[in-house]
């Protein structure tokens, strides 16, 4: 406002001087008025910048005060229980660092996302855990729909790269993003005289019969993402027909979403469907026979999340965990502990490995999270019906739950 007033006054001065001056002095008068206007605008801009800086400092001080109060309240509770759906190595590192930073005793357990969702749903508002950490958001959204997660307006959410990385009601926050694709054993493909699949539709070719592993949608959020992705790309009915055909080539459905990636290098399967950052981990462990493939017709990117369980025993420690999970203190541990996803906060350090292996988030579709939230459970039932099995008794020899 001050800047606009200054410019208006300077403009009035310019017009007045021009109107009053004679023709011989018009140029000098105009130059003087222009200089005055420039000086007034600069002064107004400096004032505006100073006010903005002061306001930012005030907000930062308030946030710092809120964080200090939260830390003290969390320390008074003294304990935190974390259910983690990321890989064990990263989960352990994140929990141990939180305990070191705040002196709060952390208990943690690694469970797949669907296992966590099922467990918390059965506990019906009296959760045995406080927070959920890692794993793709489709099961988180099911938990939101069932009112199992607590809304929390995180201070550190200002560092998120966009609103797509959080629940609209702040019931979960994104901490990383990973690309869905294929991992292939190049040596086995060569031995079998086969080309690597380049598309989702390639996977249903008879050439790949008995060579593919996917995770179990009863236990793994990764498999739910695959189902939702195919429904969104192909339409519901065509997607179910696709899964009937794909099932003919799947030798096993693993309990964990990362399970197929661990089978490709040793040759226990030739093609694994899952997140490509899991493939990067296996390559860096020495399995240089693995190739990473982004499906040519497009794919999805997961958002790995964190959330507070509604009714948890340690609500302040849980809120502090969310702040921690949205900070470099937590997410920068990922790349040093076998997790090479893209990070989604602006003040974190992106893992070079993701770009080194050619991963690119621009290759992903515009995933409809609202459709997945509303329909994931039904789509999983439809998946098993299409395969001719129920979700509870699905061909237990191939659908692993342990």
């Amino acid at each position: 406002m001050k800047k606009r007033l200054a410019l208006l006054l300077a403009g009035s001065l310019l017009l007045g001087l021009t109107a009053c001056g004679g023709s011989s002095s018009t140029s000098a008068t105009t130059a003087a008025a222009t200089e005055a206007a420039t000086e007034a605008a600069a002064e107004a801009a400096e004032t505006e910048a100073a006010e903005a800086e002061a306001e930012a400092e005030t907000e930062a001080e308030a946030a710092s005060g809120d964080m200090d109060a939260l830390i003290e309240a969390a320390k008074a509770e003294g304990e935190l229980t974390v259910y983690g759906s990321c890989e064990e190595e990263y989960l352990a590192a994140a929990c141990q660092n939180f305990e070191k930073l705040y002196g709060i005793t952390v208990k943690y357990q690694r469970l797949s996302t669907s296992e966590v969702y099922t467990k918390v749903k059965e506990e019906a508002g009296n959760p045995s855990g406080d927070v959920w950490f890692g794993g793709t958001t489709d099961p988180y959204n099911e938990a939101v729909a069932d009112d199992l997660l607590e809304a929390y307006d995180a201070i550190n959410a200002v560092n998120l790269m966009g609103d797509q990385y959080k629940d609209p009601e702040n019931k979960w926050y994104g901490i990383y993003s990973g690309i869905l694709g294929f991992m292939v054993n190049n040596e086995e493909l060569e031995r079998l005289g086969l080309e690597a699949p380049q598309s989702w539709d390639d996977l249903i070719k008879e050439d790949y019969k008995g060579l593919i592993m996917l995770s179990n949608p009863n236990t793994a959020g990764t498999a739910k993402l695959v189902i939702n992705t195919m429904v969104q790309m192909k339409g519901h009915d065509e997607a179910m027909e696709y899964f009937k055909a794909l099932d003919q080539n799947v030798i096993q459905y693993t309990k964990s979403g990362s399970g197929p990636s661990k089978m490709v290098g040793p040759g226990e399967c030739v093609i694994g469907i899952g997140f490509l950052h899991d493939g990067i981990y296996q390559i860096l462990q020495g399995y240089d026979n693995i190739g990473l493939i982004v499906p040519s017709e497009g794919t999805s990117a997961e958002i790995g999340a964190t959330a507070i369980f509604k009714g948890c025993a340690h609500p302040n420690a849980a809120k502090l965990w969310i702040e921690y999970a949205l900070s470099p203190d937590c997410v920068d541990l990922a790349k040093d502990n076998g997790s090479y996803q893209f990070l989604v906060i602006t003040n974190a350090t992106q893992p070079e490995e993701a770009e080194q292996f050619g991963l690119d988030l621009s290759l992903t579709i515009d995933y409809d999270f609202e459709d997945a939230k509303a329909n994931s459970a039904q789509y999983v039932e439809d998946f098993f019906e299409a395969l001719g099995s129920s979700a509870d008794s699905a061909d237990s020899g191939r659908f692993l739950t342990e």
Side-chain angles (χ1 to χ4, degrees):
M1 179 64 72
K2 290 178 179 178
K3 182 177 179 181
R4 287 195 293 270
L5 286 172
L7 290 172
L8 286 171
L9 288 171
S12 298
L13 176 62
L14 173 61
L15 289 172
L17 288 173
T18 302
C20 294
S23 58
S24 61
S25 61
T26 298
S27 296
T29 301
T30 302
T34 301
E35 183 178 352
T38 301
E39 290 177 356
E43 183 178 347
E46 288 178 5
T47 301
E48 195 172 275
E51 289 175 349
E53 185 177 351
E55 184 178 349
E57 288 178 356
T58 300
E59 290 177 354
E61 288 173 2
S64 178
D66 290 345
M67 187 69 78
D68 289 342
L70 178 59
I71 290 171
E72 290 307 310
K75 285 182 175 180
E77 291 175 348
E79 293 183 10
L80 183 73
T81 299
V82 180
Y83 290 144
S85 299
C86 57
E87 288 302 293
E88 181 89 27
E89 187 178 351
Y90 179 29
L91 172 63
C95 290
Q96 290 163 9
N97 192 44
F98 182 84
E99 189 171 282
K100 178 182 176 181
L101 288 172
Y102 301 111
I104 296 170
T105 300
V106 180
K107 300 175 184 176
Y108 64 89
Q109 183 179 3
R110 203 281 173 190
L111 298 168
S112 64
T113 47
S114 289
E115 286 181 304
V116 175
Y117 165 66
T118 300
K119 181 177 180 62
V120 176
K121 187 175 182 179
E122 289 173 350
E123 291 171 342
N126 187 29
S128 53
D130 297 303
V131 294
W132 194 353
F133 179 66
T136 191
T137 46
D138 285 340
Y140 281 77
N141 281 327
E142 290 182 85
V144 169
D146 290 336
D147 197 26
L148 299 174
L149 302 182
E150 186 70 47
Y152 171 58
D153 297 333
I155 297 168
N156 283 337
V158 297
N159 296 318
L160 286 169
M161 292 179 178
D163 287 343
Q164 70 270 33
Y165 296 116
K166 69 182 184 70
D167 174 69
E169 297 178 344
N170 296 337
K171 291 188 175 182
W172 58 256
Y173 290 97
I175 51 176
Y176 59 75
S177 183
I179 298 175
L180 193 63
F182 319 143
M183 293 145 280
V184 300
N185 185 312
N186 288 320
E187 292 173 345
E188 283 298 298
L189 286 173
E190 183 177 356
R191 183 182 68 81
L192 294 168
L194 297 175
E195 296 292 327
Q198 299 299 317
S199 69
W200 291 105
D201 286 343
D202 281 349
L203 294 179
I204 63 175
K205 293 179 178 178
E206 291 185 6
D207 292 344
Y208 302 126
K209 187 175 181 64
L211 302 182
I212 298 175
M213 283 190 185
L214 173 63
S215 50
N216 181 352
N218 273 337
T219 57
T222 304
K224 289 182 178 180
L225 181 64
V226 173
I227 293 172
N228 286 323
T229 298
M230 290 298 98
V231 169
Q232 292 183 26
M233 291 179 67
K234 294 176 174 293
H236 176 275
D237 293 349
E238 187 177 342
M240 296 307 146
E241 290 299 315
Y242 172 82
F243 287 122
K244 285 172 62 176
L246 179 64
D247 183 61
Q248 301 302 308
N249 292 345
V250 175
I251 188 173
Q252 191 173 83
Y253 295 86
T254 63
K255 173 186 174 182
S256 170
S258 63
S261 71
K262 298 170 183 175
M263 304 298 184
V264 175
E268 294 180 54
C269 78
V270 179
I271 302 166
I273 303 172
F275 291 116
L276 297 182
H277 54 258
D278 291 328
I280 291 176
Y281 176 77
Q282 295 300 320
I283 293 169
L284 295 177
Q285 292 297 300
Y287 288 110
D288 57 3
N289 57 346
I290 295 177
L292 306 179
I293 298 169
V294 179
S296 59
E297 66 268 67
T299 190
S300 292
E302 72 162 338
I303 298 175
T306 190
I308 300 171
F309 297 126
K310 191 168 188 176
C312 68
H314 308 103
N316 291 303
K319 291 174 183 177
L320 183 58
W321 175 272
I322 299 298
E323 301 294 354
Y324 165 73
L326 292 172
S327 77
D329 285 335
C330 178
V331 295
D332 278 354
L333 295 171
K335 59 184 176 298
D336 296 323
N337 291 278
S339 294
Y340 305 103
Q341 302 96 327
F342 291 97
L343 303 181
V344 299
I345 61 173
T346 57
N347 55 345
T349 303
Q350 293 293 343
E352 296 177 357
E353 291 83 357
E355 294 183 2
Q356 174 187 337
F357 284 93
L359 303 191
D360 183 354
L361 287 173
S362 69
L363 301 173
T364 57
I365 66 171
D366 185 12
Y367 188 76
D368 188 342
F369 285 96
E370 290 306 310
D371 181 75
K373 182 190 297 186
N375 298 303
S376 278
Q378 184 61 55
Y379 293 159
V380 170
E381 286 187 21
D382 296 344
F383 168 88
F384 282 112
E385 183 177 345
L387 270 55
S389 304
S390 72
D392 294 327
S393 61
D395 196 2
S396 59
R398 290 194 303 141
F399 285 83
L400 302 185
T401 56
E402 296 296 336

